[in-house]
Structure formats: C-alpha cells, structure tokens
Amino acid sequence: MRRSIPLVAAALGAALTLAACGGGDTDTEDTGAATEETGGAGEGGTLTVWVDETRQAAVESAAAAFEEETGTTVETVLKNFDDIRADFLAQVPTGEGPDLTVGASDWLGEFTTNGVVAPVELGDLAGDFEEIAIEAWTYDGQIYGLPYAIENIAIIRNTALADSTPATFDEMIAQGRAAGTTYPFLVQVGEDGDPYTMYPFQTSFGAEVFAQDAEGAYLPELELGGEPGTAFAQWLKAQADAGVLSTSMTYDIAVEAFKNGESPYILGGPWMLSTFEGMDLAVDPIPSAGGEPARPFSGVPGFYVNAQSDNQLIASDFLTGYMATEEAQVALYEAGNRLPALTAAADVASEDPLTAGFRVVAEDALPSPALPEMGAVWSFWGATEAGIISGSIEPVAGWEKMVTDIQAAIDAAS
C-alpha cells in the first residue's frame, strides 16, 4: 500500500509528540457518526480530514494502512463539499480547522492569500502526476497539497444517433440536425448563464479569461475583451437566433433530453455518465466555433494541508505516502468517476473508453484560474452571456461593459 516515505518522515517522530490539532468541525450532522466510526486517537495522535460523501470511503481505506503502520488515527469528518471552502477559511485562523481537507484547485489563490494552506514537498513524486494536475496545484512556484483527480467537460455523443463529432461547431450542428432529433446539440445555459460550460467555445475565439506567462501561470490581466471577446459575444447572439442556445436549457432539462434520445450531442462532464447508463456513448473533443482549439477548463480536486496545523509533517506523510498511490487514486476514481491525477492510476482508469475520451480532451484543457481575482469574474460573466442569449443585452456593447465592470470590481478589491 505504502508508496514511499518522504523526507518529512525523518521528522515524523518529533511531530508525533505534538498534540493533535484541528479536531475540527462540529457543524455537520454527520460529524458524530464519522468520529464514532474512526474511534479515538492512537499512540501516534490524530489527523482530522474533512471529506465529502463521495471521497470518504476511499480516504478511509488509505487511512487504514496509515493507521496500522504509524499508530496515528485518521478521523474523517463528512462535510458538504459546497461548504468546505468557506468553513476552512473561517475556521483555520481560529485554530478550529482540520489538518487536511479535500478541495478544488481553483480555491488555491484565495487560500494562499489568506494564509490558510501550507505547501507540500512532492519532490520527484511530482513527475508521477499528469502535468496539468501539478500545474493546477502550483501557486507562486510552490505546490500546495496533493491532486487526486482531473475533471473537464467534453462532447458526449449518442453513437446510435451520430457516428462522429465533427471538428467544427457548424458541422456538428449540421450533423445534429441531420439526425432528425428535437435538438441538434444540448448545452446547459440557464437564466444565470454558464461561462464554465461555454468556455471552450469562447477560447476557440482566442478570448481566455486571464493572461498566462510563458510557464502557463495565470496573471491578473483580463483577456476577455478586445476583438476575440466581442466576436464570441456576436457568436452567442447568432446561436441564440438560430435556436441552438437558450437560457431555458438548464442542466436538468439538457441531461433529461439527452437521456431520452432527443439529441446526438451534449456538452458535459463525467458526472453526467451515471445518468446515461445503458446508452451507447462516445466521448469526443469539443468542436471549434471560432477557428482556434476549443479548450475547456480543467478542475483538479485534491487535498490541502492546514497552515495552522501542528500535524503538518504527519499530514504530508499521509498524502505523499498513502494518498499518492495507484491503489488510492484508483479507489478515488471508482468513487467519483473522475480521471486520476496520478499517471499510473490514470492509465488504469483509461481502460474505460469514456474515461479515455475525457483524458484526451484534458490534455488540451486549461486549469481553472486560482487567482483571487477570479472571484470578481463569474457573476458579471454569466449574467452577460445569459443576457446576450436571451436578447436583453446587445452583444458587443454588453460584452465591453462586462469587461469594464469586472476590471472595476478587481480594482476595488485590490
């Protein structure tokens, strides 16, 4: 089970004498049950880990070997994933947070700005992970935490209705119309817009959200505007006029329509696949709408180490020695259906052709920006896209105003 003992293990003995901290969260209804299941502290102390329901069993499986070999008890505390970001930010400064928590890579900028997470020294182990996974967990040249999965959207195709996904959006729509289904293509928009899902079409016009340096690190410089941005805005309007995009198309409606065979194509992620069980599917790259590659965001969930924890060395040892193994990462894949971040585990998972399809798209995906400035983007971005599609916002003027509003919000927060 155990992959290796990192350098930090040399200090493990000393760390074990430290009192366990971060006994954490008591505001979830499942905390008591989780605590009861994991028992009390062993002779090596206790690590407290916040997990969501999907990841809990896989973490506890890896923890069993850790507990046996080190005498340290790992206490998992079940949390609603949507609550973890705010709770971690609120509790760590008060000394009440866990030693470790699951989380998303795009929280990293806010977490480091607030000083609530500690770097993790992966050393040569970093080379065993998919490149985009390490890139997503690197901030100001340091790796914070351990990635365990990669998730991105792609075209999910009903192979009974279409034998391929063309390279361009217009060709895909034409092929979708030829299928004779209710919808040539399905994508969720909703009344609030969905810039995350629409992002690959936007990038195909060359309008990325923030600039990147030569190493791929994001810079707090907006790239949404200019000619590429307004060209994308005009494309949104044209697709709405053609009946391809609609704010009435929510996630639930789109998924149900695809499930019922009302379209050969849907743009979505691996989280949809369980709904389509029994259908003959393929996962394909996203067609370009603007001429350049259609590059979606890639989210990389992983584990953060509490910067205020007295057990940082033990926490790092658990992550690098037990959660970075092929066995643990495959277990997390089987629990959540996301491509593993560890390459050896990703190879195993890619024996499933659908997972392999998402992996191909991930190779050209862009990490979701971890910049704190990203928090000023989403609401303006989504509202503008939805307004253009619904017809309430003129595309060019509306897009330019959106960029101005976002920049003003970033300036006000700095």
Side-chain angles (χ1 to χ4, degrees), residues 25-39 76-78:
D25 183 78
T26 57
D27 61 356
T28 172
E29 61 184 6
D30 296 292
T31 299
T35 303
E36 184 177 346
E37 289 170 6
T38 52
T76 59
V77 177
L78 187 61

Side-chain angles (χ1 to χ4, degrees), residues 89 104 149 152 163 173 181 193 227 233 258 401 403:
L89 282 166
N152 54 269
D163 61 5
I173 296 302
T181 50
E227 197 170 309
F258 187 80
K401 182 179 184 303
V403 175

Side-chain angles (χ1 to χ4, degrees), residues 323-378:
M323 296 308 301
T325 64
E326 179 180 324
E327 180 181 353
Q329 298 246 330
V330 168
L332 287 163
Y333 161 72
E334 291 173 342
N337 209 25
R338 270 64 162 177
L339 178 73
L342 188 74
T343 298
D347 291 342
V348 173
S350 296
E351 293 174 5
D352 180 328
L354 300 184
T355 300
F358 280 110
R359 189 181 190 182
V360 168
V361 178
E363 291 172 357
D364 203 31
L366 295 162
S368 297
L371 296 171
E373 289 83 357
M374 196 66 188
V377 173
W378 291 112

Side-chain angles (χ1 to χ4, degrees), residues 288-306:
S288 172
E292 298 185 27
R295 307 179 69 186
F297 282 130
S298 177
V300 184
F303 296 92
Y304 287 103
V305 177
N306 181 344

